[in-house]
Amino acid sequence: MYNNVIISGTGSAIPTKVVKNADFKNHVFLNEDGSLFEKENSEIIEKFNAITGIEERRYAEDSVNTSDLATQASEQAIQSSGINKEDLDLIIVAHNFGDVKKGSIQGDMLPSLATRVKNKLGIVNPNCVAYDILFGCPGWVQGMIQANQAIKAGDAKKVLVIGAETLSRVVDHSDRDSMIFADGAGATILELKKEDKERGILTTAAQTYALEEAGYLYSGPTFNQELDQDINYIKMLGRKIYEFALTKVPAAIKVAMDKRGLEIDDISKVFLHQANEKMDEAIIKRLYRLYRKPVKGNVMPMSIQKLGNNSVATVPILYDMVLRNQLEGHSITTNDIVVFASVGAGMNINAITYKV
């Protein structure tokens, strides 16, 4: 018998408010020094689309907060798993800014979002422990790694892991990078199952680069010098992140694969953080190059074109969409081996190999 740690349920909360690239045509984009960006918005948007692949993104409705999206995704995951919510041992919520109410200038993390989700789900069991993790965009993958460790240690049997964010509330609208970010939530139930055949989480890997890399994503003031410079927004050094990810992410994925002696041809799908279409395509090419193989078709599902970058939510939403046959040309079947991987603020990288 195998003690398998499997994903028994998935769910996602994708906001209904669609913001297209054309909606940014009247934005005033500024340089870091506050000067007016010299190119026309139409040219900025066209170049942005060519690089990131983003055509539109989703924003939460004004009355909806991160914990609300997290709860919606959790309800779906619990329902699809068929478990009793009172049997959950852990609730782990990955996010980066807490509940940022529309119009607020700060995030609200007291109590934790995990506590809020437990409250909204109406879970009574005090032995269901709820906590948050801040790990940048790789937060959901890291939550899965922690859940797996808890289960393997015998401290849990059923864990709810959520990635949720409302980045639209923390962007500087004068910064071109604001067009990248979006809102959403994805959730999974991770469960211990004793079975005749091995499946579920096979291996994990995680890294943190915290010297120069620690400043690649940061909180900083608006580029608009006429606005309050003491309010912080999400900022990033895009070129630095791109160069970092291209070399470090494939290597980190290989670490996870090598722990099990997996070859690249053993992998059916790579569920990669949806940060930038061109960057993700380059990461996959580099990964296959490590094995001296060309990229095989359809190995990497993509949701960024329509959903944008919703940080910790990208990987679980993507997996949920494929399971529900919502991405044309992508499906997974029993015995497929897939990879979950992400990169983000820290700079943190992580990866999981998983047998369906």
Side-chain angles (χ1 to χ4, degrees):
M1 295 291 286
Y2 291 92
N3 290 321
N4 295 328
V5 181
I6 68 160
I7 297 171
S8 62
T10 63
S12 56
I14 300 171
T16 56
K17 183 178 179 181
V18 178
V19 178
K20 297 181 179 293
N21 287 350
D23 294 328
F24 292 90
K25 65 182 179 181
N26 293 322
H27 268 51
V28 177
F29 291 116
L30 303 174
N31 294 303
E32 189 172 358
D33 63 3
S35 60
L36 192 64
F37 202 76
E38 60 275 10
K39 294 180 180 178
E40 295 289 334
N41 281 13
S42 57
E43 185 178 349
I44 293 172
I45 292 169
E46 183 179 352
K47 185 176 181 181
F48 167 84
N49 178 237
I51 294 172
T52 67
I54 298 172
E55 301 167 6
E56 58 189 47
R57 72 286 295 142
R58 301 296 184 93
Y59 286 176
E61 296 295 336
D62 291 355
S63 61
V64 175
N65 292 318
T66 303
S67 61
D68 297 317
L69 294 173
T71 303
Q72 292 169 27
S74 299
E75 288 170 340
Q76 281 189 17
I78 291 168
Q79 182 179 17
S80 71
S81 72
I83 68 165
N84 183 337
K85 63 185 179 182
E86 294 294 338
D87 291 337
L88 285 169
D89 300 297
L90 285 176
I91 298 174
I92 304 172
V93 177
H95 65 92
N96 295 293
F97 297 96
D99 274 353
V100 184
K101 295 180 176 63
K102 182 69 174 179
S104 175
I105 62 170
Q106 67 180 41
D108 179 4
M109 296 185 231
L110 186 66
S112 71
L113 296 203
T115 294
R116 295 180 194 202
V117 169
K118 182 179 178 181
N119 173 270
K120 292 173 189 288
L121 290 173
I123 295 174
V124 176
N125 177 14
N127 296 313
C128 171
V129 177
Y131 69 90
D132 296 359
I133 61 171
L134 304 179
F135 202 71
C137 291
W140 174 82
V141 177
Q142 197 64 23
M144 292 284 284
I145 291 172
Q146 289 190 4
N148 179 57
Q149 291 168 342
I151 292 172
K152 291 287 180 65
D155 292 332
K157 291 183 179 179
K158 295 180 176 66
V159 184
L160 170 60
V161 185
I162 310 157
E165 202 70 89
T166 49
L167 292 180
S168 67
R169 309 267 172 89
V170 294
V171 294
D172 172 12
H173 293 290
S174 64
D175 186 342
R176 288 170 298 156
D177 288 340
S178 65
M179 293 189 288
I180 291 174
F181 300 114
D183 306 338
T188 44
I189 300 293
L190 205 58
E191 189 172 352
L192 178 66
K193 293 272 192 180
K194 291 185 179 295
E195 298 174 319
D196 294 334
K197 294 182 179 179
E198 185 183 29
R199 63 182 181 125
I201 292 180
L202 302 177
T203 64
T204 67
Q207 299 174 329
T208 297
Y209 291 81
L211 296 177
E212 174 191 343
E213 303 89 355
Y216 289 174
L217 276 146
Y218 62 98
S219 292
T222 174
F223 290 169
N224 189 337
Q225 306 294 317
E226 297 179 1
L227 299 179
D228 191 339
Q229 295 295 294
D230 290 327
I231 300 174
N232 285 330
Y233 303 86
I234 185 171
K235 295 288 178 177
M236 66 179 186
L237 304 180
R239 173 50 58 178
K240 291 283 190 181
I241 294 171
Y242 188 96
E243 293 169 352
F244 172 86
L246 250 57
T247 57
K248 303 300 185 185
V249 176
I253 294 174
K254 191 174 187 298
V255 168
M257 291 174 60
D258 286 350
K259 286 182 178 181
R260 191 51 183 263
L262 295 170
E263 295 295 328
I264 195 65
D265 289 338
D266 297 326
I267 305 302
S268 299
K269 298 288 179 189
V270 179
F271 292 90
L272 188 60
H273 168 50
Q274 304 291 283
N276 176 313
E277 184 180 52
K278 288 289 185 286
M279 186 178 84
D280 285 2
E281 288 173 348
I283 287 171
I284 292 298
K285 286 180 182 177
R286 292 286 184 96
L287 175 61
Y288 272 78
R289 193 179 301 167
L290 291 177
Y291 294 89
R292 302 182 184 278
K293 293 286 185 77
V295 178
K296 64 179 181 181
N298 254 14
V299 72
M300 184 177 64
M302 295 289 288
S303 61
I304 192 170
Q305 296 91 343
K306 299 298 182 183
L307 300 185
N309 175 354
N310 41 41
S311 185
V312 291
T314 64
V315 178
I317 286 177
L318 192 62
Y319 187 60
D320 184 53
M321 291 178 73
V322 171
L323 287 181
R324 296 176 188 271
N325 297 312
Q326 293 174 349
L327 276 183
E328 187 177 350
H330 289 283
S331 62
I332 51 177
T333 59
T334 302
N335 294 323
D336 280 353
I337 297 176
V338 303
V339 171
F340 302 112
S342 190
V343 58
M347 290 290 287
N348 298 317
I349 309 171
N350 47 23
I352 295 172
T353 61
Y354 184 88
K355 187 173 184 179
V356 179

